[in-house]
Amino acid sequence: MSSFAIICRRADPASLAQVVREAKALIGAGHQVEVIAPAWPTLASEMSGSGGRVQVRSLGAAPSAGASLTALVFWVRATVAITAAHLARRYGGIQVVGATGAFVFTTWLTHLL
């Protein structure tokens, strides 16, 4: 059994079905899944019936689109969260969802480890 992470840039209703489908497919194959995302109550309720095999971790509120100090802080928080989680459980794979611009690089440190 492996652990997988799905990291989301924002709580986007259009991405909800994709995240839920991927998480359920992974737990159906016997894996553990951790979803790291901004505060997303709809996702948390969708995953509540997973028997504890999907953990949803909140990054807090996501900033609006665009470059700003708030977006940089959110990016750093996401990078630290995914790296710390990877060190704790060694993910077999990490999926980045809804990423634009620099957010796709939140996993760069995990690739070095």
Side-chain angles (χ1 to χ4, degrees):
M1 177 175 77
S2 295
S3 293
F4 289 86
I6 300 172
I7 186 163
C8 305
R9 161 66 175 86
R10 61 184 159 280
D12 181 10
S15 299
L16 179 64
Q18 174 190 355
V19 173
V20 170
R21 185 177 57 250
E22 289 176 4
K24 288 184 177 181
L26 287 166
I27 63 172
H31 302 292
Q32 293 282 111
V33 178
E34 185 165 14
V35 179
I36 301 171
W40 200 350
T42 308
L43 176 65
S45 68
E46 287 279 336
M47 294 287 106
S48 64
S50 66
R53 300 200 40 212
V54 175
Q55 179 183 7
V56 179
R57 292 180 48 188
S58 177
L59 291 170
S64 58
S68 68
L69 181 59
T70 308
L72 176 64
V73 169
F74 184 78
W75 181 86
V76 170
R77 196 169 54 227
T79 300
V80 169
I82 193 71
T83 302
H86 179 67
L87 289 173
R89 72 166 38 136
R90 291 291 182 190
Y91 295 122
I94 300 171
Q95 170 74 29
V96 180
V97 176
T100 58
F103 194 76
V104 297
F105 296 105
T106 56
T107 61
W108 71 270
L109 192 54
T110 60
H111 288 289
L112 296 177
L113 302 174

XYZ file of all heavy atoms in Angstrom:
822
model
N 0.840 -1.174 0.000
C 0.000 0.000 0.000
C 0.887 1.241 0.000
O 1.788 1.371 0.800
C -0.897 -0.016 1.228
C -1.754 1.201 1.339
S -2.937 1.147 2.695
C -1.907 1.500 4.083
N 0.626 2.155 -0.891
C 1.361 3.412 -0.994
C 0.486 4.571 -0.554
O -0.729 4.458 -0.485
C 1.796 3.659 -2.442
O 2.706 2.687 -2.857
N 1.129 5.679 -0.295
C 0.421 6.916 0.005
C 0.568 7.854 -1.176
O 1.640 7.937 -1.781
C 1.009 7.577 1.249
O 0.754 6.807 2.380
N -0.494 8.563 -1.494
C -0.492 9.532 -2.578
C -1.023 10.854 -2.054
O -1.836 10.882 -1.137
C -1.352 9.056 -3.748
C -0.748 7.916 -4.505
C -0.934 6.609 -4.100
C 0.046 8.164 -5.618
C -0.357 5.561 -4.788
C 0.622 7.115 -6.312
C 0.427 5.818 -5.897
N -0.557 11.944 -2.638
C -1.030 13.273 -2.259
C -1.651 13.955 -3.469
O -1.188 13.797 -4.596
C 0.122 14.121 -1.734
N -2.696 14.705 -3.200
C -3.309 15.563 -4.207
C -3.274 16.960 -3.600
O -3.827 17.184 -2.517
C -4.755 15.141 -4.517
C -4.792 13.707 -5.036
C -5.382 16.114 -5.514
C -6.197 13.133 -5.187
N -2.584 17.885 -4.244
C -2.497 19.250 -3.734
C -3.250 20.178 -4.684
O -3.091 20.099 -5.899
C -1.039 19.702 -3.504
C -0.995 21.073 -2.846
C -0.225 19.652 -4.771
C 0.332 21.434 -2.220
N -4.107 21.012 -4.104
C -4.975 21.882 -4.898
C -4.646 23.344 -4.649
O -4.433 23.750 -3.511
C -6.435 21.638 -4.541
S -6.943 19.927 -4.707
N -4.640 24.130 -5.703
C -4.348 25.561 -5.622
C -5.516 26.350 -5.034
O -5.353 27.284 -4.295
C -3.991 26.088 -7.019
C -4.078 27.589 -7.234
C -3.042 28.342 -6.415
N -3.033 29.756 -6.707
C -3.815 30.655 -6.126
N -4.700 30.291 -5.245
N -3.715 31.929 -6.438
N -6.723 25.964 -5.399
C -7.895 26.666 -4.894
C -9.079 25.701 -4.816
O -9.074 24.652 -5.436
C -8.238 27.868 -5.762
C -8.561 27.540 -7.196
C -8.794 28.825 -8.006
N -8.620 28.631 -9.414
C -7.441 28.597 -10.046
N -6.333 28.726 -9.382
N -7.372 28.424 -11.347
N -10.079 26.087 -4.041
C -11.292 25.293 -3.895
C -12.199 25.592 -5.082
O -13.148 26.356 -4.990
C -11.981 25.621 -2.579
N -11.902 24.984 -6.193
C -12.594 25.245 -7.449
C -13.693 24.203 -7.665
O -13.389 23.008 -7.769
C -11.576 25.199 -8.589
C -12.170 25.482 -9.944
O -13.343 25.906 -10.007
O -11.467 25.288 -10.944
N -14.959 24.618 -7.725
C -16.037 23.652 -7.944
C -15.835 22.805 -9.205
O -16.231 21.648 -9.251
C -17.287 24.520 -8.067
C -16.943 25.779 -7.359
C -15.465 25.981 -7.575
N -15.190 23.361 -10.227
C -14.950 22.603 -11.457
C -13.950 21.473 -11.233
O -13.969 20.475 -11.940
C -14.455 23.537 -12.557
N -13.069 21.611 -10.247
C -12.063 20.575 -9.961
C -12.549 19.542 -8.957
O -11.908 18.516 -8.767
C -10.783 21.215 -9.411
O -10.224 22.090 -10.341
N -13.670 19.808 -8.296
C -14.163 18.915 -7.252
C -14.356 17.489 -7.750
O -13.872 16.538 -7.134
C -15.465 19.448 -6.651
C -16.082 18.578 -5.549
C -15.163 18.519 -4.342
C -17.444 19.112 -5.157
N -15.028 17.327 -8.876
C -15.287 15.983 -9.403
C -13.988 15.252 -9.714
O -13.858 14.060 -9.423
C -16.164 16.067 -10.648
N -13.011 15.957 -10.269
C -11.725 15.333 -10.594
C -11.000 14.869 -9.322
O -10.507 13.743 -9.267
C -10.836 16.322 -11.342
C -9.430 15.800 -11.587
C -8.476 16.865 -12.124
O -8.883 17.985 -12.403
N -7.230 16.503 -12.257
N -10.955 15.710 -8.313
C -10.257 15.360 -7.077
C -10.931 14.180 -6.400
O -10.274 13.222 -5.970
C -10.174 16.586 -6.133
C -9.604 16.185 -4.779
C -9.344 17.688 -6.762
N -12.254 14.209 -6.304
C -13.001 13.110 -5.675
C -12.810 11.821 -6.461
O -12.555 10.750 -5.882
C -14.499 13.470 -5.547
C -15.325 12.264 -5.134
C -14.678 14.618 -4.565
N -12.899 11.888 -7.779
C -12.729 10.695 -8.629
C -11.334 10.091 -8.461
O -11.183 8.879 -8.301
C -13.002 11.072 -10.078
C -12.969 9.901 -11.048
C -13.317 10.315 -12.490
N -12.443 11.364 -12.997
C -12.814 12.628 -13.231
N -14.054 13.008 -13.002
N -11.961 13.512 -13.703
N -10.295 10.927 -8.479
C -8.931 10.419 -8.328
C -8.703 9.820 -6.943
O -8.092 8.759 -6.816
C -7.922 11.530 -8.589
C -7.855 11.934 -10.045
C -6.931 13.105 -10.296
O -6.255 13.578 -9.353
O -6.875 13.560 -11.451
N -9.197 10.495 -5.912
C -9.024 9.982 -4.545
C -9.738 8.648 -4.366
O -9.175 7.702 -3.805
C -9.530 11.006 -3.535
N -10.958 8.549 -4.874
C -11.714 7.295 -4.737
C -11.073 6.168 -5.537
O -11.066 5.015 -5.107
C -13.169 7.504 -5.134
C -13.922 8.314 -4.086
C -15.391 8.446 -4.407
C -16.084 9.190 -3.279
N -17.513 9.340 -3.495
N -10.523 6.473 -6.706
C -9.838 5.443 -7.486
C -8.598 4.937 -6.748
O -8.323 3.736 -6.732
C -9.447 5.991 -8.861
N -7.870 5.839 -6.129
C -6.672 5.437 -5.389
C -7.013 4.608 -4.154
O -6.360 3.599 -3.880
C -5.846 6.667 -4.991
C -5.093 7.327 -6.142
C -4.591 8.709 -5.738
C -3.930 6.449 -6.597
N -8.054 5.001 -3.404
C -8.411 4.187 -2.239
C -9.016 2.857 -2.668
O -8.846 1.855 -1.993
C -9.321 4.930 -1.241
C -10.663 5.296 -1.845
C -8.631 6.116 -0.658
C -11.658 5.849 -0.832
N -9.678 2.851 -3.827
C -10.201 1.597 -4.365
C -9.095 0.620 -4.730
O -9.283 -0.596 -4.696
N -7.926 1.148 -5.062
C -6.765 0.309 -5.384
C -5.951 -0.017 -4.130
O -4.879 -0.614 -4.230
C -5.882 1.018 -6.411
N -6.452 0.400 -2.956
C -5.798 0.044 -1.712
C -4.775 1.044 -1.185
O -3.971 0.711 -0.331
N -4.789 2.255 -1.684
C -3.815 3.255 -1.259
C -4.417 4.239 -0.253
O -5.619 4.395 -0.175
C -3.307 4.050 -2.471
C -2.688 3.195 -3.522
N -1.506 2.521 -3.348
C -3.108 2.879 -4.765
C -1.205 1.853 -4.437
N -2.174 2.036 -5.316
N -3.540 4.909 0.463
C -3.909 6.020 1.328
C -3.793 7.299 0.510
O -2.891 7.413 -0.318
C -2.964 6.112 2.520
C -3.061 4.956 3.488
C -4.258 5.093 4.388
O -5.189 4.320 4.273
N -4.254 6.064 5.267
N -4.658 8.268 0.756
C -4.644 9.527 0.002
C -4.721 10.693 0.984
O -5.506 10.672 1.933
C -5.827 9.611 -0.984
C -5.838 10.941 -1.722
C -5.791 8.459 -1.965
N -3.898 11.691 0.723
C -3.964 12.928 1.485
C -4.215 14.063 0.498
O -3.471 14.219 -0.470
C -2.674 13.171 2.243
C -2.732 14.372 3.131
C -1.610 14.421 4.141
O -0.629 13.667 3.993
O -1.714 15.223 5.065
N -5.294 14.807 0.731
C -5.621 15.950 -0.108
C -5.240 17.199 0.677
O -5.719 17.414 1.788
C -7.117 15.983 -0.477
C -7.420 17.203 -1.334
C -7.525 14.713 -1.201
N -4.345 17.988 0.107
C -3.901 19.233 0.738
C -4.462 20.362 -0.108
O -4.129 20.479 -1.289
C -2.368 19.279 0.812
C -1.857 18.086 1.613
C -1.896 20.598 1.409
C -0.354 17.909 1.584
N -5.343 21.152 0.489
C -6.081 22.161 -0.278
C -6.448 23.343 0.611
O -6.389 23.239 1.834
C -7.355 21.541 -0.839
N -6.846 24.443 -0.008
C -7.405 25.541 0.792
C -8.672 25.051 1.495
O -9.168 23.963 1.193
C -7.755 26.600 -0.253
C -6.988 26.241 -1.459
C -6.808 24.765 -1.427
N -9.174 25.834 2.406
C -10.417 25.459 3.086
C -11.481 25.113 2.039
O -11.782 25.922 1.170
C -10.888 26.612 3.967
N -12.005 23.888 2.100
C -12.924 23.395 1.065
C -13.937 22.450 1.708
O -13.797 21.229 1.629
C -12.115 22.677 -0.004
C -12.758 22.494 -1.338
C -14.053 22.717 -1.686
C -12.115 22.028 -2.518
N -14.248 22.421 -3.001
C -13.070 21.992 -3.543
C -10.829 21.634 -2.809
C -12.781 21.569 -4.831
C -10.530 21.213 -4.080
C -11.497 21.183 -5.084
N -14.977 22.989 2.374
C -15.943 22.158 3.087
C -16.637 21.117 2.203
O -16.922 20.005 2.656
C -16.954 23.162 3.644
C -16.245 24.468 3.645
C -15.259 24.414 2.520
N -16.913 21.456 0.952
C -17.584 20.513 0.051
C -16.716 19.281 -0.179
O -17.203 18.155 -0.158
C -17.905 21.188 -1.303
O -18.603 22.399 -1.059
C -18.744 20.279 -2.175
N -15.428 19.478 -0.372
C -14.511 18.353 -0.564
C -14.440 17.509 0.695
O -14.480 16.279 0.629
C -13.116 18.849 -0.948
C -12.046 17.769 -1.088
C -12.369 16.841 -2.253
C -10.675 18.387 -1.265
N -14.343 18.149 1.840
C -14.276 17.410 3.103
C -15.516 16.540 3.302
O -15.414 15.388 3.719
C -14.097 18.371 4.270
N -16.688 17.068 2.967
C -17.907 16.269 3.127
C -17.974 15.131 2.111
O -18.448 14.038 2.424
C -19.156 17.148 3.039
O -19.321 17.664 1.741
N -17.474 15.355 0.892
C -17.449 14.294 -0.128
C -16.524 13.139 0.299
O -16.771 11.990 -0.010
C -16.966 14.841 -1.463
C -17.952 15.721 -2.172
C -19.009 14.927 -2.933
O -18.767 13.760 -3.291
O -20.081 15.487 -3.155
N -15.444 13.463 0.995
C -14.457 12.467 1.392
C -14.743 11.846 2.751
O -14.059 10.917 3.166
C -13.051 13.095 1.428
C -12.537 13.530 0.076
S -12.087 12.118 -0.947
C -13.425 12.058 -2.110
N -15.765 12.326 3.446
C -16.034 11.839 4.802
C -16.412 10.359 4.838
O -16.205 9.701 5.840
C -17.132 12.676 5.461
O -18.347 12.532 4.755
N -16.919 9.804 3.769
C -17.303 8.400 3.731
C -16.208 7.477 3.243
O -16.476 6.370 2.805
N -14.954 7.889 3.321
C -13.847 7.093 2.775
C -13.266 6.113 3.773
O -12.269 5.451 3.483
C -12.742 8.013 2.267
O -12.169 8.712 3.358
N -13.857 6.019 4.944
C -13.346 5.084 5.940
C -11.989 5.482 6.492
O -11.205 4.628 6.901
N -11.689 6.746 6.492
C -10.430 7.228 7.033
C -9.233 7.061 6.115
O -8.105 7.329 6.503
N -9.449 6.612 4.879
C -8.338 6.398 3.953
C -7.994 7.630 3.149
O -6.997 7.660 2.450
C -8.648 5.222 3.041
C -8.841 3.986 3.907
C -8.725 2.664 3.315
N -7.686 2.475 2.361
C -7.817 1.644 1.341
N -8.938 0.988 1.162
N -6.833 1.473 0.509
N -8.839 8.678 3.255
C -8.540 9.961 2.640
C -8.511 11.001 3.754
O -9.465 11.151 4.504
C -9.587 10.374 1.588
C -9.302 11.769 1.061
C -9.617 9.388 0.444
N -7.388 11.681 3.858
C -7.252 12.750 4.842
C -7.234 14.069 4.081
O -6.479 14.228 3.118
C -5.960 12.578 5.629
C -5.731 13.650 6.656
C -4.405 13.482 7.377
O -3.590 12.644 7.029
N -4.189 14.306 8.371
N -8.062 15.015 4.507
C -8.108 16.335 3.881
C -7.465 17.320 4.843
O -7.919 17.481 5.970
C -9.554 16.765 3.551
C -9.576 18.142 2.919
C -10.211 15.745 2.630
N -6.368 17.949 4.402
C -5.664 18.946 5.210
C -5.869 20.316 4.588
O -5.697 20.486 3.387
C -4.168 18.638 5.259
C -3.871 17.375 6.032
C -2.417 17.060 6.086
N -1.623 18.226 6.471
C -0.311 18.245 6.445
N 0.356 17.198 6.054
N 0.353 19.322 6.808
N -6.213 21.278 5.418
C -6.490 22.629 4.924
C -5.247 23.507 4.986
O -4.493 23.473 5.945
C -7.593 23.268 5.756
O -7.809 24.594 5.328
N -5.062 24.289 3.935
C -3.991 25.280 3.882
C -4.498 26.655 4.293
O -3.768 27.635 4.196
C -3.429 25.375 2.455
C -2.644 24.182 1.959
C -2.365 24.323 0.472
C -1.351 24.035 2.732
N -5.727 26.750 4.720
C -6.315 28.051 5.023
C -6.912 28.651 3.762
O -7.022 27.993 2.731
N -7.268 29.887 3.848
C -7.906 30.560 2.708
C -6.913 30.784 1.576
O -5.769 31.162 1.805
C -8.491 31.888 3.154
N -7.355 30.517 0.364
C -6.515 30.742 -0.821
C -6.637 32.190 -1.264
O -7.718 32.773 -1.211
C -6.949 29.825 -1.954
N -5.544 32.776 -1.704
C -5.614 34.155 -2.207
C -6.282 34.196 -3.576
O -6.363 33.185 -4.272
C -4.143 34.563 -2.313
C -3.415 33.278 -2.524
C -4.188 32.244 -1.753
N -6.735 35.365 -3.958
C -7.294 35.507 -5.294
C -6.170 35.371 -6.317
O -4.992 35.447 -5.980
C -7.994 36.863 -5.441
O -7.063 37.891 -5.177
N -6.540 35.169 -7.553
C -5.543 34.975 -8.611
C -4.692 36.228 -8.769
O -5.144 37.339 -8.527
C -6.244 34.644 -9.928
N -3.468 36.007 -9.187
C -2.568 37.140 -9.411
C -1.375 37.086 -8.481
O -1.380 36.396 -7.474
N -0.364 37.816 -8.843
C 0.857 37.849 -8.044
C 0.707 38.872 -6.925
O 0.340 40.018 -7.163
C 2.045 38.196 -8.927
N 0.962 38.417 -5.709
C 0.906 39.312 -4.560
C 1.692 38.685 -3.423
O 2.076 37.511 -3.483
C -0.542 39.550 -4.124
O -1.087 38.353 -3.600
N 1.901 39.429 -2.391
C 2.583 38.895 -1.216
C 1.751 37.778 -0.586
O 2.288 36.768 -0.140
C 2.851 40.011 -0.200
C 3.583 39.595 1.069
C 4.938 38.982 0.737
C 3.749 40.773 2.006
N 0.435 37.929 -0.593
C -0.457 36.901 -0.054
C -0.318 35.600 -0.833
O -0.291 34.515 -0.252
C -1.919 37.381 -0.095
O -1.996 38.661 0.530
C -2.838 36.420 0.599
N -0.222 35.690 -2.149
C -0.045 34.494 -2.982
C 1.300 33.831 -2.693
O 1.394 32.605 -2.650
C -0.157 34.855 -4.460
N 2.340 34.625 -2.478
C 3.658 34.080 -2.153
C 3.627 33.347 -0.817
O 4.157 32.238 -0.697
C 4.709 35.188 -2.123
C 6.115 34.748 -1.708
C 6.705 33.777 -2.716
C 7.014 35.961 -1.519
N 2.987 33.942 0.169
C 2.876 33.299 1.487
C 2.107 31.985 1.369
O 2.477 30.978 1.961
C 2.218 34.261 2.505
C 1.861 33.536 3.791
C 3.136 35.434 2.779
N 1.031 31.992 0.595
C 0.257 30.764 0.386
C 1.117 29.700 -0.300
O 1.094 28.527 0.075
C -0.989 31.065 -0.458
C -1.884 29.880 -0.651
C -2.730 29.465 0.356
C -1.878 29.163 -1.841
C -3.557 28.366 0.191
C -2.704 28.072 -2.025
C -3.545 27.670 -1.003
N 1.899 30.098 -1.297
C 2.785 29.170 -2.011
C 3.806 28.560 -1.047
O 4.035 27.354 -1.063
C 3.494 29.887 -3.154
C 4.391 29.016 -3.953
C 4.033 28.235 -5.014
C 5.795 28.792 -3.773
N 5.135 27.564 -5.506
C 6.230 27.892 -4.748
C 6.728 29.285 -2.866
C 7.537 27.451 -4.853
C 8.040 28.851 -2.963
C 8.434 27.950 -3.942
N 4.404 29.380 -0.204
C 5.382 28.880 0.777
C 4.706 27.925 1.759
O 5.239 26.870 2.087
C 6.071 30.052 1.510
C 6.885 29.559 2.693
C 6.946 30.838 0.546
N 3.507 28.288 2.219
C 2.775 27.417 3.142
C 2.467 26.068 2.491
O 2.619 25.011 3.115
C 1.485 28.131 3.571
C 0.842 27.528 4.769
C -0.273 28.379 5.350
N -1.284 28.723 4.360
C -1.771 29.939 4.200
N -1.337 30.938 4.921
N -2.703 30.166 3.298
N 2.070 26.078 1.226
C 1.795 24.832 0.509
C 3.066 24.006 0.334
O 3.056 22.778 0.497
C 1.168 25.133 -0.853
N 4.185 24.658 0.016
C 5.457 23.956 -0.168
C 5.898 23.301 1.136
O 6.305 22.128 1.144
C 6.546 24.933 -0.668
O 6.118 25.481 -1.917
C 7.873 24.227 -0.861
N 5.800 24.022 2.233
C 6.191 23.470 3.534
C 5.272 22.312 3.923
O 5.734 21.266 4.394
C 6.195 24.573 4.613
C 6.323 23.987 6.012
C 7.314 25.566 4.346
N 3.976 22.475 3.698
C 3.019 21.425 4.064
C 3.260 20.139 3.282
O 3.297 19.048 3.860
C 1.589 21.914 3.839
N 3.450 20.240 1.972
C 3.637 19.032 1.159
C 4.990 18.391 1.446
O 5.118 17.166 1.487
C 3.432 19.300 -0.355
C 3.301 17.991 -1.152
C 4.534 20.131 -0.949
C 2.042 17.259 -0.941
N 6.019 19.198 1.701
C 7.341 18.647 2.001
C 7.340 17.948 3.354
O 7.861 16.829 3.483
C 8.416 19.755 1.964
O 8.397 20.350 0.664
C 9.794 19.197 2.237
N 6.750 18.561 4.365
C 6.676 17.942 5.693
C 5.874 16.649 5.656
O 6.266 15.634 6.247
C 6.082 18.922 6.693
N 4.758 16.670 4.937
C 3.940 15.457 4.823
C 4.696 14.363 4.076
O 4.624 13.184 4.431
C 2.627 15.784 4.117
N 5.445 14.745 3.046
C 6.229 13.768 2.282
C 7.316 13.144 3.151
O 7.568 11.937 3.076
C 6.842 14.435 1.055
C 7.690 13.535 0.222
N 7.164 12.466 -0.488
C 9.024 13.520 -0.023
C 8.147 11.849 -1.134
N 9.287 12.476 -0.856
N 7.969 13.929 3.974
C 8.989 13.388 4.868
C 8.386 12.425 5.881
O 9.027 11.453 6.279
C 9.719 14.529 5.590
C 10.657 15.362 4.728
C 11.186 16.552 5.519
C 11.811 14.509 4.205
N 7.160 12.685 6.298
C 6.495 11.825 7.274
C 6.013 10.516 6.684
O 6.044 9.475 7.343
C 5.317 12.574 7.898
N 5.589 10.507 5.418
C 5.005 9.275 4.892
C 5.518 8.848 3.527
O 5.109 7.820 3.020
C 3.494 9.350 4.902
C 2.857 10.258 3.893
C 1.374 10.021 3.752
N 0.724 9.721 4.997
C -0.413 10.214 5.404
N -1.053 11.058 4.645
N -0.955 9.865 6.531
N 6.381 9.580 2.871
C 6.944 9.209 1.558
C 5.871 8.823 0.558
O 5.522 7.673 0.380
C 7.944 8.065 1.696
C 9.197 8.441 2.395
C 9.981 9.367 1.536
N 11.249 9.717 2.169
C 12.032 10.649 1.732
N 11.713 11.335 0.675
N 13.143 10.920 2.333
N 5.357 9.821 -0.125
C 4.318 9.610 -1.119
C 4.837 8.836 -2.319
O 5.948 9.050 -2.776
C 3.770 10.951 -1.618
C 3.053 11.744 -0.572
C 3.465 13.024 -0.235
C 1.954 11.219 0.085
C 2.799 13.763 0.721
C 1.286 11.945 1.045
C 1.711 13.216 1.362
O 1.050 13.939 2.310
N 3.985 7.971 -2.856
C 4.292 7.280 -4.094
C 4.088 8.174 -5.295
O 4.663 7.970 -6.360
N 3.263 9.211 -5.136
C 3.010 10.169 -6.205
C 2.298 11.387 -5.661
O 1.618 11.309 -4.642
N 2.498 12.506 -6.339
C 1.847 13.755 -5.946
C 1.190 14.355 -7.185
O 1.843 14.554 -8.197
C 2.858 14.763 -5.365
C 3.563 14.188 -4.126
C 2.161 16.083 -5.025
C 4.715 15.024 -3.635
N -0.106 14.626 -7.084
C -0.864 15.229 -8.172
C -1.145 16.679 -7.820
O -1.649 16.976 -6.742
C -2.192 14.480 -8.362
C -3.169 15.128 -9.296
C -2.765 14.998 -10.750
O -2.113 14.058 -11.129
N -3.159 15.970 -11.542
N -0.807 17.605 -8.689
C -1.106 19.024 -8.484
C -2.328 19.351 -9.339
O -2.323 19.132 -10.545
C 0.093 19.920 -8.879
C -0.242 21.380 -8.657
C 1.341 19.524 -8.091
N -3.378 19.893 -8.695
C -4.644 20.167 -9.380
C -4.941 21.665 -9.361
O -4.772 22.316 -8.340
C -5.803 19.407 -8.687
C -7.141 19.755 -9.321
C -5.565 17.915 -8.742
N -5.388 22.177 -10.490
C -5.826 23.565 -10.567
C -4.695 24.569 -10.457
O -4.893 25.691 -10.041
N -3.506 24.146 -10.816
C -2.347 25.016 -10.645
C -2.155 25.934 -11.840
O -2.331 25.534 -12.974
C -1.094 24.183 -10.446
N -1.781 27.136 -11.526
C -1.404 28.085 -12.557
C -0.102 28.741 -12.118
O 0.136 28.940 -10.939
C -2.473 29.169 -12.736
O -2.653 29.841 -11.484
C -3.787 28.587 -13.207
N 0.721 29.039 -13.045
C 1.955 29.751 -12.727
C 2.869 28.983 -11.797
O 3.062 27.778 -11.920
N 3.397 29.673 -10.816
C 4.424 29.124 -9.936
C 3.911 28.050 -8.988
O 4.710 27.305 -8.409
C 5.058 30.251 -9.131
N 2.604 27.908 -8.819
C 2.091 26.933 -7.860
C 2.498 25.500 -8.208
O 2.617 24.674 -7.324
C 0.569 27.038 -7.720
C 0.048 26.304 -6.515
C 0.193 26.847 -5.254
C -0.547 25.071 -6.646
C -0.265 26.172 -4.138
C -1.016 24.389 -5.544
C -0.879 24.945 -4.275
N 2.744 25.218 -9.473
C 3.151 23.857 -9.836
C 4.489 23.485 -9.220
O 4.818 22.312 -9.106
C 3.204 23.641 -11.368
C 1.835 23.821 -11.982
C 4.215 24.544 -12.023
N 5.252 24.475 -8.787
C 6.561 24.204 -8.200
C 6.515 23.963 -6.696
O 7.557 23.867 -6.062
C 7.534 25.334 -8.534
C 7.790 25.440 -10.002
C 7.222 26.445 -10.747
C 8.579 24.496 -10.649
C 7.442 26.530 -12.116
C 8.794 24.565 -12.017
C 8.226 25.587 -12.749
N 5.318 23.825 -6.106
C 5.225 23.543 -4.679
C 5.835 22.199 -4.333
O 6.199 21.961 -3.196
C 3.771 23.562 -4.185
O 3.006 22.644 -4.953
C 3.176 24.947 -4.253
N 5.957 21.324 -5.301
C 6.486 19.978 -5.029
C 7.971 19.848 -5.344
O 8.525 18.767 -5.222
C 5.706 18.922 -5.825
O 5.863 19.187 -7.215
C 4.239 18.928 -5.463
N 8.652 20.929 -5.727
C 10.059 20.822 -6.143
C 10.933 20.260 -5.041
O 11.832 19.466 -5.306
C 10.601 22.171 -6.630
C 10.797 23.185 -5.535
C 9.890 24.077 -5.098
C 11.970 23.386 -4.760
N 10.417 24.834 -4.072
C 11.693 24.428 -3.849
C 13.239 22.785 -4.730
C 12.629 24.889 -2.930
C 14.163 23.262 -3.812
C 13.847 24.290 -2.928
N 10.697 20.648 -3.799
C 11.545 20.172 -2.716
C 11.352 18.691 -2.459
O 12.311 17.980 -2.179
C 11.268 20.987 -1.448
C 12.237 20.827 -0.292
C 13.680 21.077 -0.727
C 11.863 21.757 0.846
N 10.121 18.196 -2.612
C 9.880 16.766 -2.404
C 10.602 15.929 -3.444
O 11.023 14.814 -3.172
C 8.381 16.425 -2.426
O 7.833 16.785 -3.682
C 7.638 17.144 -1.321
N 10.780 16.463 -4.646
C 11.497 15.731 -5.694
C 12.986 15.639 -5.374
O 13.656 14.717 -5.837
C 11.293 16.382 -7.050
C 9.920 16.190 -7.588
N 9.441 14.977 -8.041
C 8.898 17.057 -7.712
C 8.206 15.107 -8.426
N 7.830 16.366 -8.236
N 13.494 16.592 -4.616
C 14.917 16.558 -4.251
C 15.187 15.556 -3.125
O 16.326 15.135 -2.957
C 15.377 17.945 -3.816
C 15.333 19.034 -4.879
C 15.738 20.365 -4.261
C 16.236 18.682 -6.042
N 14.154 15.236 -2.357
C 14.353 14.360 -1.201
C 14.252 12.941 -1.600
O 13.832 12.093 -1.671
C 13.353 14.712 -0.102
C 13.439 16.165 0.361
C 12.326 16.461 1.342
C 14.773 16.431 1.023
